[in-house]
Amino acid sequence: MTRKSLFKHLPTTLFVASTSLAAVVHAAAPTELLAGYSGQAQAPSSATRGQQFFTGTHGGDWSCSSCHGAVPTGGGKHASTGKPITALAPAVNPERFTDPAKVEKWFRRNCKDVLTRECTAAEKADVLAWLLSLKP
Amino acid sequence: MNTASASRAERSPAIPASRRVVDAPTRVVHWLLALSFIGAYLSGDSERWRLLHVSLGYTILGLVVHRVLWGLIGPRHTRLSAWAAKLRGTPDFLRSLRSGKPNPSAAQNLLNTLFAILILGFALIASISGYAVYEELGGDWLEELHELSSDGMLVMVLGHLLLIVTSSLLRRQNLAARMFSGRLPGRGPDLIKRNHGALAALILAVVLGFWFVQLLAPA
């Protein structure tokens, strides 16, 4: 279990606060976020790789699907608390992937839970490409 | 009850004289709050520990509510009015600082009361905002409030520990001991007349039972 220290945490809070402010001014479209991640990765994204990544356990006991479902056009169920989770696919749930700070926060948290490390920009691009390809 | 036999035992010459200064419920709640806070702070970043984190948050809220109620109806020295009286000593203390003759015991008392109030205040904000985040009752500002108040509580806990350690060293007296035994060495009547051991046992049983139901019992 990794711990962020208080001092590591403060800049994050400021960053999230400032980016949330930016998000109010300009809510990003999921496609813009995808373009940003692909640009960072300097490679085109692949929805097929994204699906494999999302449903794979990566050597652990959890996959992204453990909480979000194998095809996240439907709701998921938290693997620890059993609480319902709303659909991840933007076609079903238009609020998803519109707030860059929130997207970064949850990628960071959830990648550590599934992979015990943060995800790369290429992995985020692949997953987002797959989620954007899903229709209701 | 057994309080009568206990005070007889204390008067026997074999046991050094001591007097009760902290009742059992206050001590049990103090240590349960300390444990719950450490656990909740460490489990805050992972979904794997989410159920533990949330359960400890509920526990913290319950403990704080108990402490406030106990501060209204409990023994005189554990009451919120006793804290208020200590805080009213602040101007006197500041004057003594300027005159260059501060009383170390008064300083420690005043600061520790402040820490206790701030710890409980931040704990209340952190647990209520955490509940609101978990139940998705509000926006991102609730998450910010939850994280800031948790960090605020951490700072106050560290301040409290630093104060107890440094004043113990300065006064050559283990100031943490009373929160374990409830007693201070020395003759004289108990500051706290009744230990309320049964209430302390009940609180402990309720918390352990809650943890069992939340974390271990099959759904």
Side-chain angles (χ1 to χ4, degrees), chain B residues 56-70:
Chain B
L56 292 175
Y58 286 130
T59 309
I60 288 171
L61 182 57
L63 293 171
V64 173
V65 168
H66 161 85
R67 187 60 186 87
V68 171
L69 289 177
W70 198 235

Side-chain angles (χ1 to χ4, degrees), chain B residues 16-182:
Chain B
S18 72
R19 52 205 200 107
R20 185 185 299 118
V21 291
V22 190
D23 59 76
T26 305
R27 281 180 279 145
V28 163
V29 167
H30 173 274
W31 292 113
L32 284 175
L33 184 61
L35 271 181
S36 302
F37 175 66
I38 293 168
Y41 199 88
L42 293 178
S43 61
D45 281 341
S46 164
E47 294 303 321
R48 286 186 186 270
W49 301 100
R50 189 71 179 267
L51 187 60
L52 175 71
H53 182 76
V54 169
S55 304
L56 292 175
Y58 286 130
T59 309
I60 288 171
L61 182 57
L63 293 171
V64 173
V65 168
H66 161 85
R67 187 60 186 87
V68 171
L69 289 177
W70 198 235
L72 295 173
I73 61 164
R76 198 157 54 88
H77 288 87
T78 66
R79 289 212 190 153
L80 303 181
S81 55
W83 286 356
K86 282 183 190 172
L87 292 186
R88 278 195 295 274
T90 310
D92 277 347
F93 172 69
L94 292 177
R95 265 194 296 278
S96 76
L97 269 186
R98 249 172 295 161
S99 69
K101 276 175 273 176
N103 176 350
S105 145
Q108 185 244 323
N109 241 318
L110 184 62
L111 278 174
N112 209 38
T113 304
L114 266 178
F115 279 131
I117 292 167
L118 289 168
I119 285 170
L120 291 178
F122 278 123
L124 193 65
I125 299 170
S127 51
I128 293 175
S129 61
Y131 173 79
V133 167
Y134 186 58
E135 295 297 330
E136 294 166 61
L137 300 177
D140 295 342
W141 68 274
L142 277 170
E143 282 177 41
E144 300 300 322
L145 181 65
H146 182 59
E147 293 180 13
L148 286 172
S149 52
S150 310
D151 284 344
M153 185 167 173
L154 177 67
V155 171
M156 294 310 141
V157 165
L158 293 176
H160 167 65
L161 290 174
L162 191 67
L163 176 71
I164 297 298
V165 169
T166 48
S167 26
S168 291
L169 291 173
L170 286 173
R171 293 166 68 182
R172 295 176 193 286
Q173 186 188 352
N174 181 353
L175 294 170
R178 71 188 67 176
M179 205 38 101
F180 292 97
S181 66

